[in-house]
Amino acid sequence: MTIKTKMLALLAGAAFATTSFATLASAETQLAFSSWLPPRHPIVVGAIKPWAKQVEEVTEGRVTVRVLAKPMGPPPSHYDMAADGIADITYGLHSFTTDDRFSRSRIGQFSFIGDDAVSGSKAFWNVYSGPLEAQKEHEGVKLLGLFVHGPGIFHNNARKIEKTEDFAGLKVRVPGGYVSELLTDLGATTLFMSSTEVYEKLSRGVIDGVTFTYEALTAFKLTEDIKYSMRVPGGIYNTTWFMVMNEGKWNEISEEDRAAIDAISGEAFAELVGTAWNDADTKALEAIDAAGIEVYDAPDAVLADIKTLAAKHEAAWAEAISGDGYDGVAALADMRKQSGVDY
């Protein structure tokens, strides 16, 4: 082999190596995950980041997820950010969207849904993504996860609720959706705001109370400004959450890796995030007790009124979705059965 021939062979080999490396690099998918909860929030630490790590593991590094330290937009915009490709993956509350595109998701917002975030989240995933066909309501995205938090509690710093009339005049932060309508029926004045705004509004006296989980009182530093926490079996309300990926980005991933990601998402992610929320609620109750907040069960008369009002909203919802061929009554009964609520 002449020197010229050897040089040509070396150059060809180098070109092949460069092309192979470029092909390998292009086969890797890096995803940006916009997260708006505080970086140390138990859901971010206990579910979002562990799931991101699992994605890398199950795809053998071909797909990686970077959870951003700062959100790419305000919390209510996160669904549309994923649908529009501004962020690759996002999460958020269905009730943050003011239109009715997620009407069937309301099944997870009602009272008496569950006392346990794991069973509640798994039941919500199974029913909403199953017979209620959640993916059809989530256009432009791949639905990766659906979940709820632990039982919703009514917290306030004005008075202990001993009769339904005690709700009158209270200004209460709500996340939108069903609980806003329920509390309005009970006589309270509701104000919509994201979780991150509550501390300022509560400490300044703009609001008297908030509908939140136990863990939110510690996560958002509210224990100094709350005196009473009223609980209801299965929660006075809940919130429904989504975790979604831009549809186009999802389709760029190989079929093998999509199957691997599916296996750690859905019901598996519902269990992961539910466990994180349960653990956070348990720890928060210790801090709530230390802060001297009175945690009590809703009086029987108040509970009876909540049940009456809840039934009205459930019936209206079931009637509304029946026009599209969905059995809301059966779905709600099935969800409560799966989450273990005796209703």
Side-chain angles (χ1 to χ4, degrees), residues 12 94 100 218:
H94 291 102
D100 62 355
T218 53

Side-chain angles (χ1 to χ4, degrees), residues 76-339:
S77 70
H78 269 58
Y79 180 84
D80 290 326
M81 283 166 47
D84 296 339
I86 297 170
D88 298 320
I89 310 175
T90 66
Y91 63 84
L93 282 75
H94 291 102
S95 60
F96 278 3
T97 306
T98 56
D99 55 41
D100 62 355
R101 72 179 91 171
F102 305 118
S103 61
R104 297 192 296 278
S105 74
R106 181 173 281 226
I107 189 173
Q109 297 177 26
F110 290 125
S111 308
F112 322 115
I113 287 301
D115 288 310
D116 169 71
V118 171
S119 60
S121 293
K122 290 170 72 172
F124 180 56
W125 168 264
N126 291 334
V127 175
Y128 184 31
S129 72
L132 295 186
E133 299 183 303
Q135 182 63 71
K136 289 186 177 181
E137 287 195 320
H138 294 72
E139 296 182 3
V141 300
K142 159 64 178 177
L143 187 57
L144 293 168
L146 293 166
F147 54 100
V148 297
H149 54 49
I153 312 296
F154 180 80
H155 312 276
N156 85 97
N157 57 20
R159 66 182 76 102
K160 183 176 181 179
I161 303 298
E162 296 180 311
K163 55 187 184 300
T164 301
E165 290 75 15
D166 291 335
F167 284 101
L170 294 179
K171 299 184 294 295
V172 184
R173 173 269 177 187
V174 296
Y178 158 77
V179 71
S180 176
E181 297 166 4
L182 175 67
L183 284 177
T184 298
D185 289 347
L186 288 168
T189 298
T190 62
L191 294 89
F192 170 79
M193 63 188 72
S194 65
S195 306
T196 52
E197 299 176 78
V198 174
Y199 174 80
E200 179 189 359
K201 298 294 192 297
L202 190 63
S203 61
R204 288 174 48 204
V206 176
I207 56 176
D208 305 302
V210 60
T211 53
F212 256 157
T213 56
Y214 293 119
E215 62 79 25
L217 294 193
T218 53
F220 298 103
K221 300 178 172 51
L222 308 179
T223 53
E224 302 265 328
D225 295 297
I226 291 294
K227 295 179 180 178
Y228 309 101
S229 295
M230 187 187 76
R231 59 192 173 199
V232 166
I236 192 172
Y237 82 106
N238 213 303
T239 54
T240 63
W241 298 63
F242 58 79
M243 181 172 73
V244 296
M245 183 188 299
N246 174 265
E247 189 173 48
K249 205 69 176 179
W250 173 254
N251 291 332
E252 291 178 11
I253 300 171
S254 71
E255 185 176 346
E256 175 189 1
D257 288 339
R258 291 202 302 265
I261 295 170
D262 270 334
I264 61 166
S265 304
E267 187 173 357
F269 181 74
E271 182 164 1
L272 180 68
V273 71
T275 299
W277 235 311
N278 283 347
D279 291 346
D281 273 347
T282 299
K283 292 178 181 176
L285 278 167
E286 297 175 5
I288 288 169
D289 182 61
I293 298 171
E294 182 178 353
V295 180
Y296 64 99
D297 294 324
D300 291 343
V302 174
L303 182 58
D305 286 342
I306 292 172
K307 284 187 175 182
T308 298
L309 293 170
K312 179 189 72 171
H313 289 288
E314 291 169 14
W317 169 78
E319 177 65 24
I321 69 170
S322 68
D324 294 321
Y326 297 99
D327 189 342
V329 174
L332 189 53
D334 186 21
M335 183 170 166
R336 285 186 170 127
K337 181 179 179 180
Q338 290 189 41
S339 66

Side-chain angles (χ1 to χ4, degrees), residues 5-62:
T5 303
K6 288 181 179 179
M7 289 182 66
L8 289 172
L10 288 171
L11 288 171
F16 176 79
T18 301
T19 301
S20 298
F21 178 80
T23 301
L24 178 62
S26 65
E28 296 177 352
T29 302
Q30 297 180 336
L31 303 170
F33 193 140
S34 182
S35 174
W36 52 266
L37 285 169
R40 295 178 66 84
H41 190 281
I43 302 312
V44 177
V45 175
I48 300 296
K49 289 185 176 179
W51 176 83
K53 185 177 181 181
Q54 288 176 4
V55 169
E56 183 173 3
E57 291 171 351
V58 300
T59 63
E60 299 178 338
R62 290 182 294 274

